[in-house]
Amino acid sequence: MKPTWASFCRALEAGVFEETNRYLTILALIVGLANSKYRVQITVIVSAVVFGLLHFTNLGGQDFAAILNQVIYAAALGLVLAILYLYTGKLWLPMLYHFGVDFLNYAVNGGIKAQVWSGTLSD
């Protein structure tokens, strides 16, 4: 573990700003799908997919395989974070969870880049 102030700040920024963005996406979907029988399920899935796809913005700093891995992982994590928010109604819980996941990843890697994908199942 090699935590730095940069990795702390980068994880904090992701936890706060990305989860605020997701909150607004969830809110818009819930309101927009008010008449749908499956509005919660659709909201969770769509918000997770959008959350994952937004990680394609990292293409400049990493290779495509690493980004694809990150997008898939972020979409799966997005399901958990959306359910956590909708179940508790507290935005700070997904923010804290997201911060923790990112900070541990950055601290283990000793910097502010996400883990590089090696192509193995353990990634």
Side-chain angles (χ1 to χ4, degrees), residues 69 115 117-123:
N69 182 51
Q115 182 174 354
W117 189 56
S118 66
T120 65
L121 187 58
S122 64
D123 284 343

Side-chain angles (χ1 to χ4, degrees), residues 54-112:
L54 286 174
H55 286 78
F56 271 119
T57 59
N58 296 331
L59 267 174
Q62 299 173 358
D63 64 355
F64 184 76
I67 297 300
L68 188 58
N69 182 51
Q70 187 179 17
V71 167
I72 293 167
Y73 176 79
L77 180 63
L79 290 172
V80 173
L81 296 173
I83 292 168
L84 181 62
Y85 168 70
L86 290 171
Y87 185 75
T88 65
K90 301 191 183 323
L91 184 58
W92 65 269
L93 283 172
M95 284 180 174
L96 184 62
Y97 192 97
H98 190 157
F99 163 78
V101 167
D102 282 3
F103 183 65
L104 287 175
N105 185 28
Y106 296 143
V108 166
N109 290 303
I112 58 171

